[in-house]
Amino acid sequence: MVADSASPETCRPRTPTTTEGAAARAAALADVALADVALADVALADVVVLSPPGLAALANALIGDGYRLVGPTVRSEAVVLEELESADELPWGWDVDADAGRYRLRRRADRAVFAHAVGPQPWKRFLLPPASLLWRARRGESGFSVDPPEDPLPRYALFGVRSCDLAAIAVQDRVLATSAHPDSGYRGRRARSFVVAADCATPAGTCFCSSLGCGPAAAGGYDVALTEVVTGEEHLFLARAGSAAGDAVLPRLPSRPATPHDLDAARAVVGEAAQRMGRRLDPDGLPELLAAHREDPHWNEVAQRCLSCGNCTLVCPTCFCTTVVDATDVTGTVAERRRHWDSCFDLDFSYLHAGSVRASTSARYRHWISHKLGTWPEQFGTAGCVGCGRCITWCPVGIDITAEIAALRGGVPEGGGL
Amino acid sequence: MALPKLAVWKFASCDGCQLSLLDCEDELLAVAGQVEIAHFLEASRERVPGPYDVSLVEGSITTRDDAHRIQKVRALSRTLVTIGACATSGGVQALRNVADVDEYRSIVYPHPEYVATLDRSTPIAQHVRVDHELRGCPINRVQLLELLAALLHGGRPPRTTASVCTECKLRDNVCVVVAHGTPCLGPVTAAGCGALCPSYHRGCYGCFGPVAAANTAAVAESLRECGMSEADVTRVFRTFNADAPAFRKEAELHDAQSQP
Ligand code: SF4
Ligand code: SF4
Ligand code: SF4
Ligand code: SF4
């Protein structure tokens, strides 16, 4: 099991400062080494090869061990994350055509199961549920009593977590599990979870994890990691363990030892994936860039397009903001405190005694992108973006974080400032 | 201690919002135990004279008589809550506000001279002070119960500035705009329904009315990308909240563009 105290170093804040200059910046962009390193570090003896029935056996073993299996499946013309009963429900033979504000499922010629990159929901849907009851109290004859918590915390097996999402979970761990004020529910669900990672072979059009050193291969923070290789008649999963729990489960599955040929094929898959990212984001000096553009007219231009709908934050795997609401029933005897996801795009989010601090859409968009890429590193030690591309795909009007940063960079006069 | 008195008033409306109260099946007895239902003609012929602690007002003002009657209701009510799209924005009958009411009248009724009506349908808040409003066509009964609970027990009435998109994501829907290319007014529509329509793979048509500072222009662009004509864009902003200022203005722009 992944110990929540050991945040994986999946995604280091690789934002060379401006003093490191253009060479470092070029190197950072060309650098897909992290992905290669992930598999370069892997020794042949540590890898076993599963067939598709072997993958199904892994799912069944986890269910047999008492985990609730959560993984990708097709629903409402998208690959969503849901509780699954078996590997049969996985999206065999589907991938996606994703662009800014657009997502379409596509049938594949093969039966690849992890070819769909990431869907609309982040894994926080399970680790930090969108809505939850914090407590319920009842008024009695003498004072009031608080109901005992309803369910013991679930044990989830998260099946098919991408490297960007591993990095995002590590970000949320820092905020919600290992910080000075941890969230007990998150920490409990996290400590009980089993993580099956899946390296990416087919990034979507909105993916840019490799720009930020967050993928496409899993580099830590998993119990078992899989690399899917589909070539002609061959359909294999190279499996490697990343924890004692992972070490314990792999020998229980039907498998064969990996050959050097298998490992080369797996390295080729992730190496090529790193070159096929649909988007890129130059990570160089982002905090400085954003600080220098506080008053840029570009924010007003974005605000013409932005709906302030909050979809970008609700789909983002690192956003962790929630709000608390109290409610009383009509009889006045039962009171509840509930928590649900919140968004900095909501006008009430920054409501203080005299009104909203960020009253305009331009202020809200600027705040969002500045927090993600500018002030998050200072606050939490990593960027708040892992390059999953969800905010780009699921923005109803296709606002693109990579394009907005490029626009800000384009706005810098020749030879000046940054 | 006497129970607080609740009154339900009807103006120009279809009764759907009042029925949401009767629809509260499980909770209705609990409500009935907490208040004296003093005036609710949809439920009982009995009328207890005012004043009333809480008045729920359904419907818009469309006649001279109703313009007088709402003043009386206000004077008799400690807290006045408008319920539904008609009461809060003028309702579907506010379509007359962008048309010639005499012409309508002469087409629809065999004896138009018997129909006394104002040429505009206006929300209650244009006539009297309103303490709280519940949007929707019809309202969401859960919101109604939460508001009543807060009013009865001194809690803070729930409020949200979120759009339908927030509820849509909390409900785990797949966005119909992004994944299906279906036009949706959710981003500019006030939350409250729990994203009912997108939960059934349909676009929102805005029955809860606009959010504050709705970027209707950007949504109109998205509607067009989903295949709507200028005339359709005009129509979709002119439904249950046709005279809500943000929707009215956007509809006017597209109406102008769709004219030959
Ligand atoms: S900001 Fe966008 S691309 Fe970055 S992690 Fe969040 S959703 Fe993914
Ligand atoms: S960037 Fe897109 S998703 Fe985010 S608030 Fe603006 S319109 Fe909504
Ligand atoms: S379906 Fe409509 S309401 Fe739901 S997220 Fe998409 S645009 Fe918003
Ligand atoms: S989704 Fe839109 S149209 Fe449907 S009930 Fe909600 S507010 Fe009304």
Side-chain angles (χ1 to χ4, degrees), chain A residues 311 396, chain B residues 164-165 168-169 174-177 184 186-187 198 204:
Chain A
N311 274 304
Chain B
V164 174
C165 290
C168 197
K169 283 289 182 287
V174 172
C175 177
V176 302
V177 176
C184 182
C204 165

Side-chain angles (χ1 to χ4, degrees), chain B:
Chain B
M1 199 177 76
L3 292 174
K5 280 158 80 178
L6 176 78
V8 182
W9 307 96
K10 176 186 160 65
F11 289 82
S13 63
C14 78
D15 287 32
C17 289
Q18 298 187 48
L19 286 175
S20 308
L21 186 56
L22 292 179
D23 230 15
C24 291
E25 301 177 4
D26 293 343
E27 301 88 349
L28 195 58
L29 286 177
V31 174
Q34 297 296 312
V35 295
E36 179 188 1
I37 298 182
H39 186 279
F40 186 8
L41 297 183
E42 188 76 64
S44 160
R45 264 181 308 189
E46 205 181 324
R47 300 183 202 201
V48 179
Y52 306 99
D53 293 282
V54 178
S55 277
L56 303 178
V57 176
E58 175 196 87
S60 67
I61 303 300
T62 55
T63 64
R64 214 177 288 280
D65 287 349
D66 277 355
H68 291 303
R69 190 160 60 98
I70 188 62
Q71 299 296 339
K72 288 190 206 148
V73 168
R74 175 70 264 188
L76 287 171
S77 311
R78 197 153 62 88
T79 300
L80 188 152
V81 181
T82 48
I83 59 170
C86 303
T88 57
S89 83
V92 70
Q93 58 274 28
L95 282 169
R96 79 177 64 180
N97 300 5
V98 292
D100 180 348
V101 91
D102 291 332
E103 194 187 321
Y104 261 12
R105 189 162 35 192
S106 65
I107 294 170
V108 173
Y109 297 99
H111 289 287
E113 65 277 15
Y114 295 153
V115 179
T117 182
L118 297 171
D119 62 354
R120 286 171 56 81
S121 167
T122 45
I124 300 299
Q126 279 190 21
H127 300 264
V128 296
R129 181 172 54 80
V130 168
D131 300 299
H132 302 283
E133 65 170 33
L134 290 177
R135 304 271 199 93
C137 183
I139 55 166
N140 175 349
R141 63 186 192 87
V142 177
Q143 282 200 315
L144 175 63
L145 286 169
E146 285 184 351
L147 179 62
L148 283 178
L151 293 176
L152 290 172
H153 304 293
R156 195 155 31 138
R159 73 171 237 145
T160 175
T161 47
S163 69
V164 174
C165 290
T166 301
E167 297 186 313
C168 197
K169 283 289 182 287
L170 293 192
R171 199 160 164 173
D172 200 21
N173 292 334
V174 172
C175 177
V176 302
V177 176
V178 172
H180 312 159
T182 300
C184 182
L185 283 183
V188 286
T189 301
C193 67
L196 198 54
C197 297
S199 302
Y200 294 92
H201 300 166
R202 299 187 40 171
C204 165
Y205 48 90
C207 83
F208 272 61
V211 286
N215 190 347
T216 50
V219 158
E221 183 62 34
S222 138
L223 299 176
R224 275 194 304 261
E225 274 172 25
C226 288
M228 275 193 171
S229 65
E230 288 289 339
D232 287 345
V233 173
T234 310
R235 273 195 286 269
V236 81
F237 280 111
R238 270 186 196 153
T239 56
F240 310 94
N241 293 279
D243 208 26
F247 285 3
R248 185 187 60 224
K249 283 192 200 115
E250 197 59 38
E252 276 162 8
L253 286 173
H254 299 277
D255 199 13
Q257 278 164 38
S258 64
Q259 303 300 330

